[in-house]
Every structure is written in C-alpha cells, then in structure tokens.
CSV table of all heavy atoms in Angstrom, one decimal:
chain,number,residue,atom,x,y,z
A,1,TYR,N,280.1,46.3,136.9
A,1,TYR,CA,279.1,46.0,135.9
A,1,TYR,C,277.8,46.7,136.1
A,1,TYR,O,277.4,47.0,137.2
A,1,TYR,CB,278.8,44.5,136.0
A,1,TYR,CG,280.0,43.6,135.6
A,1,TYR,CD1,280.8,43.1,136.6
A,1,TYR,CD2,280.3,43.3,134.3
A,1,TYR,CE1,281.9,42.3,136.3
A,1,TYR,CE2,281.4,42.5,134.0
A,1,TYR,CZ,282.2,42.0,135.0
A,1,TYR,OH,283.2,41.2,134.7
A,2,ALA,N,277.2,47.0,135.0
A,2,ALA,CA,275.8,47.5,135.1
A,2,ALA,C,274.9,46.3,135.6
A,2,ALA,O,275.2,45.2,135.3
A,2,ALA,CB,275.3,48.0,133.7
A,3,ASP,N,273.9,46.7,136.3
A,3,ASP,CA,273.0,45.6,136.8
A,3,ASP,C,272.4,44.8,135.7
A,3,ASP,O,272.2,43.6,135.9
A,3,ASP,CB,271.9,46.3,137.6
A,3,ASP,CG,272.4,46.8,139.0
A,3,ASP,OD1,273.5,46.4,139.4
A,3,ASP,OD2,271.6,47.7,139.6
A,4,SER,N,272.2,45.4,134.6
A,4,SER,CA,271.5,44.7,133.5
A,4,SER,C,272.3,43.6,132.9
A,4,SER,O,271.8,42.7,132.2
A,4,SER,CB,271.1,45.7,132.4
A,4,SER,OG,272.2,46.4,131.9
A,5,VAL,N,273.6,43.6,133.1
A,5,VAL,CA,274.5,42.6,132.5
A,5,VAL,C,275.2,41.7,133.5
A,5,VAL,O,275.9,40.8,133.2
A,5,VAL,CB,275.6,43.2,131.6
A,5,VAL,CG1,274.9,44.1,130.6
A,5,VAL,CG2,276.6,44.0,132.4
A,6,LYS,N,275.0,42.0,134.8
A,6,LYS,CA,275.7,41.2,135.9
A,6,LYS,C,275.3,39.7,135.7
A,6,LYS,O,274.1,39.4,135.6
A,6,LYS,CB,275.3,41.7,137.2
A,6,LYS,CG,276.1,42.9,137.7
A,6,LYS,CD,275.7,43.3,139.1
A,6,LYS,CE,276.5,44.6,139.5
A,6,LYS,NZ,276.0,45.1,140.9
A,7,GLY,N,276.3,38.9,135.8
A,7,GLY,CA,276.0,37.4,135.7
A,7,GLY,C,276.0,36.9,134.3
A,7,GLY,O,276.0,35.7,134.1
A,8,ARG,N,276.0,37.8,133.3
A,8,ARG,CA,276.0,37.4,131.9
A,8,ARG,C,277.2,37.9,131.2
A,8,ARG,O,277.7,37.2,130.3
A,8,ARG,CB,274.7,38.0,131.2
A,8,ARG,CG,273.4,37.6,131.8
A,8,ARG,CD,272.2,38.0,130.9
A,8,ARG,NE,272.2,39.5,130.7
A,8,ARG,CZ,272.2,40.1,129.6
A,8,ARG,NH1,272.2,39.4,128.4
A,8,ARG,NH2,272.1,41.4,129.5
A,9,PHE,N,277.7,39.0,131.5
A,9,PHE,CA,278.9,39.6,130.8
A,9,PHE,C,280.1,39.6,131.7
A,9,PHE,O,280.0,39.7,133.0
A,9,PHE,CB,278.6,41.1,130.4
A,9,PHE,CG,277.6,41.3,129.3
A,9,PHE,CD1,276.8,40.3,128.9
A,9,PHE,CD2,277.5,42.5,128.7
A,9,PHE,CE1,275.9,40.5,127.9
A,9,PHE,CE2,276.6,42.8,127.7
A,9,PHE,CZ,275.7,41.7,127.3
A,10,THR,N,281.3,39.4,131.1
A,10,THR,CA,282.5,39.4,131.9
A,10,THR,C,283.5,40.2,131.2
A,10,THR,O,283.8,40.0,130.0
A,10,THR,CB,283.1,38.0,132.1
A,10,THR,OG1,282.1,37.1,132.7
A,10,THR,CG2,284.3,38.0,132.9
A,11,ILE,N,284.1,41.2,131.9
A,11,ILE,CA,285.2,42.0,131.3
A,11,ILE,C,286.5,41.5,131.9
A,11,ILE,O,286.6,41.1,133.0
A,11,ILE,CB,284.9,43.5,131.7
A,11,ILE,CG1,285.9,44.4,130.9
A,11,ILE,CG2,285.0,43.8,133.2
A,11,ILE,CD1,285.6,45.9,131.0
A,12,SER,N,287.5,41.5,131.0
A,12,SER,CA,288.8,41.1,131.4
A,12,SER,C,289.9,41.8,130.5
A,12,SER,O,289.5,42.5,129.6
A,12,SER,CB,289.0,39.6,131.2
A,12,SER,OG,288.8,39.2,129.8
A,13,ARG,N,291.1,41.7,130.9
A,13,ARG,CA,292.2,42.4,130.1
A,13,ARG,C,293.4,41.5,130.1
A,13,ARG,O,293.7,40.7,131.0
A,13,ARG,CB,292.6,43.7,130.7
A,13,ARG,CG,293.6,43.7,131.8
A,13,ARG,CD,292.9,43.7,133.1
A,13,ARG,NE,293.8,43.9,134.2
A,13,ARG,CZ,294.3,42.9,135.0
A,13,ARG,NH1,293.9,41.6,134.8
A,13,ARG,NH2,295.1,43.2,136.0
A,14,ASP,N,294.1,41.6,129.0
A,14,ASP,CA,295.4,40.9,128.7
A,14,ASP,C,296.5,42.0,128.5
A,14,ASP,O,296.5,42.6,127.5
A,14,ASP,CB,295.3,40.0,127.5
A,14,ASP,CG,296.5,39.2,127.3
A,14,ASP,OD1,297.6,39.6,127.6
A,14,ASP,OD2,296.4,38.1,126.7
A,15,GLY,N,297.3,42.2,129.5
A,15,GLY,CA,298.3,43.2,129.5
A,15,GLY,C,299.3,43.0,128.4
A,15,GLY,O,299.7,44.0,127.7
A,16,ALA,N,299.7,41.8,128.1
A,16,ALA,CA,300.7,41.5,127.1
A,16,ALA,C,300.2,41.9,125.7
A,16,ALA,O,300.9,42.3,124.8
A,16,ALA,CB,301.1,40.1,127.1
A,17,LYS,N,298.9,41.7,125.5
A,17,LYS,CA,298.3,42.0,124.2
A,17,LYS,C,297.6,43.4,124.2
A,17,LYS,O,297.1,43.8,123.1
A,17,LYS,CB,297.2,41.0,123.9
A,17,LYS,CG,297.8,39.6,123.7
A,17,LYS,CD,296.7,38.6,123.3
A,17,LYS,CE,297.3,37.2,123.1
A,17,LYS,NZ,296.2,36.2,122.7
A,18,MET,N,297.7,44.1,125.3
A,18,MET,CA,297.1,45.4,125.4
A,18,MET,C,295.6,45.4,124.9
A,18,MET,O,295.1,46.3,124.2
A,18,MET,CB,297.9,46.5,124.6
A,18,MET,CG,299.3,46.7,125.0
A,18,MET,SD,299.3,47.3,126.7
A,18,MET,CE,298.7,49.0,126.4
A,19,THR,N,294.9,44.4,125.4
A,19,THR,CA,293.6,44.1,124.9
A,19,THR,C,292.6,44.0,126.1
A,19,THR,O,292.9,43.3,127.1
A,19,THR,CB,293.5,42.9,124.0
A,19,THR,OG1,294.4,43.1,122.9
A,19,THR,CG2,292.1,42.6,123.5
A,20,VAL,N,291.4,44.6,125.9
A,20,VAL,CA,290.3,44.4,126.9
A,20,VAL,C,289.2,43.6,126.2
A,20,VAL,O,288.9,43.9,125.0
A,20,VAL,CB,289.8,45.7,127.4
A,20,VAL,CG1,288.6,45.6,128.3
A,20,VAL,CG2,290.9,46.5,128.1
A,21,TYR,N,288.7,42.7,126.9
A,21,TYR,CA,287.6,41.8,126.3
A,21,TYR,C,286.3,42.0,127.1
A,21,TYR,O,286.3,42.4,128.2
A,21,TYR,CB,288.0,40.3,126.5
A,21,TYR,CG,289.3,40.0,125.8
A,21,TYR,CD1,290.5,39.9,126.6
A,21,TYR,CD2,289.4,39.8,124.4
A,21,TYR,CE1,291.7,39.5,126.0
A,21,TYR,CE2,290.6,39.4,123.8
A,21,TYR,CZ,291.8,39.3,124.6
A,21,TYR,OH,292.9,39.0,124.0
A,22,LEU,N,285.2,41.7,126.3
A,22,LEU,CA,283.9,41.7,126.9
A,22,LEU,C,283.3,40.4,126.4
A,22,LEU,O,282.8,40.3,125.3
A,22,LEU,CB,283.1,42.9,126.5
A,22,LEU,CG,281.7,43.0,127.2
A,22,LEU,CD1,281.9,43.2,128.7
A,22,LEU,CD2,280.8,44.1,126.6
A,23,GLN,N,283.2,39.4,127.3
A,23,GLN,CA,282.5,38.2,127.0
A,23,GLN,C,281.1,38.3,127.3
A,23,GLN,O,280.7,38.6,128.5
A,23,GLN,CB,283.1,37.0,127.8
A,23,GLN,CG,282.5,35.7,127.6
A,23,GLN,CD,282.6,35.1,126.2
A,23,GLN,OE1,283.7,35.2,125.6
A,23,GLN,NE2,281.6,34.6,125.6
A,24,MET,N,280.2,38.1,126.3
A,24,MET,CA,278.8,38.3,126.5
A,24,MET,C,278.0,37.0,126.3
A,24,MET,O,278.1,36.4,125.2
A,24,MET,CB,278.3,39.4,125.5
A,24,MET,CG,279.0,40.7,125.6
A,24,MET,SD,278.3,42.0,124.5
A,24,MET,CE,278.6,41.3,122.9
A,25,ASN,N,277.4,36.5,127.3
A,25,ASN,CA,276.6,35.3,127.3
A,25,ASN,C,275.2,35.6,127.5
A,25,ASN,O,274.8,36.6,128.0
A,25,ASN,CB,277.2,34.3,128.3
A,25,ASN,CG,278.6,34.0,128.1
A,25,ASN,OD1,279.1,33.9,127.0
A,25,ASN,ND2,279.3,33.7,129.2
A,26,SER,N,274.3,34.6,127.2
A,26,SER,CA,272.9,34.7,127.4
A,26,SER,C,272.3,36.0,126.8
A,26,SER,O,271.6,36.7,127.4
A,26,SER,CB,272.5,34.6,128.8
A,26,SER,OG,273.0,33.4,129.4
A,27,LEU,N,272.8,36.3,125.6
A,27,LEU,CA,272.3,37.6,125.0
A,27,LEU,C,270.9,37.6,124.7
A,27,LEU,O,270.3,36.5,124.4
A,27,LEU,CB,273.1,37.8,123.7
A,27,LEU,CG,274.6,38.2,123.9
A,27,LEU,CD1,275.4,38.0,122.7
A,27,LEU,CD2,274.7,39.7,124.3
A,28,ASN,N,270.3,38.7,124.8
A,28,ASN,CA,268.8,38.9,124.4
A,28,ASN,C,268.7,40.1,123.5
A,28,ASN,O,269.6,40.9,123.4
A,28,ASN,CB,268.0,39.0,125.7
A,28,ASN,CG,268.4,40.1,126.6
A,28,ASN,OD1,268.4,41.3,126.2
A,28,ASN,ND2,268.9,39.8,127.8
A,29,PRO,N,267.6,40.3,122.9
A,29,PRO,CA,267.4,41.4,121.9
A,29,PRO,C,267.6,42.8,122.6
A,29,PRO,O,268.0,43.7,121.8
A,29,PRO,CB,265.9,41.2,121.5
A,29,PRO,CG,265.7,39.7,121.6
A,29,PRO,CD,266.4,39.3,122.8
A,30,GLU,N,267.4,42.9,123.9
A,30,GLU,CA,267.6,44.2,124.5
A,30,GLU,C,269.1,44.5,124.6
A,30,GLU,O,269.5,45.7,124.9
A,30,GLU,CB,267.1,44.2,125.9
A,30,GLU,CG,265.5,44.2,126.0
A,30,GLU,CD,264.9,42.8,125.6
A,30,GLU,OE1,265.5,41.8,125.9
A,30,GLU,OE2,263.9,42.9,124.9
A,31,ASP,N,270.0,43.6,124.3
A,31,ASP,CA,271.4,43.9,124.3
A,31,ASP,C,271.9,44.4,122.9
A,31,ASP,O,273.1,44.8,122.8
A,31,ASP,CB,272.2,42.6,124.6
A,31,ASP,CG,272.0,42.1,126.0
A,31,ASP,OD1,272.0,42.9,126.9
A,31,ASP,OD2,271.8,40.8,126.1
A,32,THR,N,271.0,44.5,122.0
A,32,THR,CA,271.3,45.0,120.7
A,32,THR,C,271.8,46.5,120.8
A,32,THR,O,271.0,47.3,121.3
A,32,THR,CB,270.2,44.9,119.7
A,32,THR,OG1,269.9,43.5,119.5
A,32,THR,CG2,270.4,45.6,118.4
A,33,ALA,N,273.0,46.8,120.3
A,33,ALA,CA,273.5,48.2,120.4
A,33,ALA,C,274.8,48.2,119.7
A,33,ALA,O,275.4,47.2,119.3
A,33,ALA,CB,273.6,48.6,121.9
A,34,VAL,N,275.3,49.5,119.6
A,34,VAL,CA,276.7,49.7,119.2
A,34,VAL,C,277.5,49.7,120.5
A,34,VAL,O,277.2,50.5,121.4
A,34,VAL,CB,276.9,51.0,118.4
A,34,VAL,CG1,278.4,51.2,118.2
A,34,VAL,CG2,276.2,50.9,117.1
A,35,TYR,N,278.5,48.8,120.6
A,35,TYR,CA,279.3,48.7,121.8
A,35,TYR,C,280.7,49.4,121.5
A,35,TYR,O,281.4,49.1,120.6
A,35,TYR,CB,279.6,47.3,122.1
A,35,TYR,CG,278.4,46.6,122.8
A,35,TYR,CD1,277.2,46.3,122.0
A,35,TYR,CD2,278.4,46.2,124.1
A,35,TYR,CE1,276.1,45.7,122.6
A,35,TYR,CE2,277.3,45.6,124.7
A,35,TYR,CZ,276.1,45.4,123.9
A,35,TYR,OH,275.0,44.8,124.5
A,36,SER,N,281.0,50.3,122.5
A,36,SER,CA,282.2,51.1,122.3
A,36,SER,C,283.1,50.9,123.5
A,36,SER,O,282.7,50.8,124.7
A,36,SER,CB,281.9,52.6,122.2
A,36,SER,OG,281.2,52.8,121.1
A,37,CYS,N,284.4,50.8,123.2
A,37,CYS,CA,285.4,50.7,124.2
A,37,CYS,C,285.9,52.2,124.6
A,37,CYS,O,285.9,53.0,123.7
A,37,CYS,CB,286.6,49.9,123.7
A,37,CYS,SG,288.1,49.8,124.7
A,38,ALA,N,286.2,52.4,125.9
A,38,ALA,CA,286.6,53.7,126.3
A,38,ALA,C,287.7,53.6,127.3
A,38,ALA,O,287.8,52.6,128.1
A,38,ALA,CB,285.5,54.5,126.9
A,39,GLY,N,288.6,54.6,127.4
A,39,GLY,CA,289.7,54.6,128.3
A,39,GLY,C,289.7,55.9,129.2
A,39,GLY,O,289.4,57.0,128.6
A,40,SER,N,290.0,55.8,130.4
A,40,SER,CA,290.0,56.9,131.3
A,40,SER,C,291.3,56.9,132.1
A,40,SER,O,291.7,55.9,132.7
A,40,SER,CB,288.8,56.8,132.3
A,40,SER,OG,288.9,57.9,133.3
C-alpha cells in the first residue's frame, strides 16, 4: 500500500471471479482521482 492509504484502503482478489477489489474507507477529497487497475 501507499502510505497515504494505509489503514483506510484494502486490496483483495477473488480467483474464482478473476476480480481484484479495492475497498476504500474514510475517503477524503484528496482521494478524488481516476482509479485504474493494472496487471504485471
């Protein structure tokens, strides 16, 4: 995690659904952005 989101955001994955999630809590205006998923 980036330091700016530690403790507020949680990333997880579901292999059966081939899906990655980003749970975002305690959002603040500084979190406003376009969020993109990426694979490596």
